[in-house]
Amino acid sequence: NVVKQLNTNGLPAELDIIGCKPDNQKELPSYVKVHGFISKETEEGKKLLNELISSAHFLILPTRADCTPIVFAEFNSYGIPCLTVNVGGIPTVVRDEVNGKLFDLDSPATDYSEYIQSLFNDYNKYIKLAKSAYNEYKTRLNWKTSGEKMMALLNKIVNN
């Protein structure tokens, strides 16, 4: 519905669905591409994921319940902002207007599409958000930084 609204409002948009295959595939419009599960274990899978992520402008994950999906860090590593829901542990990963946008659980598709439209109406705002998303990955959402923070905490506990 988000992508449908964007197209209706004159902003050409496509949606790539990765990880699952909706039951109603036959009813999907031409601007929706279903890829299903893509394995990172194969070179072909890695290449396809790289192409899909690097050509994206947003990750939209309107999940109902989640802890801390790694996919946010993966998309931020490409400078792609994440649009998601303010539930569970997600706000510890996605910071509102820093590396994405948090929506209420009951937010309609229009909230998402209006937000996207506003960023494309002032593309410098989008660029700023994309750069900030990448910075979040570089400074916070990567294994090296997480490991260093964990080691510092463990050393503090051991030394006390």
Side-chain angles (χ1 to χ4, degrees), residues 1 25 27 29 31 55 59 62 64 72-73 78 82-83 101 120 132:
N1 286 334
Q25 285 186 65
E27 302 169 22
Y31 51 79
S55 66
L59 166 68
R64 299 281 140 241
F72 297 134
Y78 287 77
C82 302
L83 309 182
K101 175 76 173 149
F120 278 86
S132 182

Side-chain angles (χ1 to χ4, degrees), residues 13-134:
E14 294 180 354
L15 176 66
D16 288 294
I17 298 176
I18 303 170
C20 67
K21 290 194 175 197
D23 294 336
N24 61 345
Q25 285 186 65
K26 294 178 184 173
E27 302 169 22
L28 295 174
S30 61
Y31 51 79
V32 176
K33 310 286 187 260
V34 178
H35 302 277
F37 175 76
I38 301 172
S39 176
K40 296 177 191 174
E41 306 260 332
T42 67
E43 286 305 314
E44 181 181 277
K46 287 181 199 175
K47 182 180 177 193
L48 179 56
L49 278 172
N50 180 55
E51 289 170 4
L52 291 170
I53 297 171
S54 63
S55 66
H57 285 90
F58 295 97
L59 166 68
I60 301 177
L61 185 62
T63 187
R64 299 281 140 241
D66 241 315
C67 293
T68 52
I70 299 296
V71 70
F72 297 134
E74 291 173 324
F75 271 73
N76 282 176
S77 75
Y78 287 77
I80 307 298
C82 302
L83 309 182
T84 189
V85 182
N86 190 2
V87 296
I90 290 175
T92 65
V93 181
V94 176
R95 294 179 177 172
D96 209 24
E97 300 293 345
V98 175
N99 61 332
K101 175 76 173 149
L102 296 167
F103 293 89
D104 291 332
L105 190 59
D106 59 352
S107 291
T110 53
D111 288 359
Y112 288 78
S113 63
E114 287 172 1
Y115 178 74
I116 292 169
Q117 190 86 42
S118 75
L119 289 175
F120 278 86
N121 288 339
D122 183 355
Y123 202 66
N124 286 329
K125 278 179 145 176
Y126 173 78
I127 296 298
K128 182 179 176 185
L129 182 61
K131 287 180 179 179
S132 182
Y134 179 71

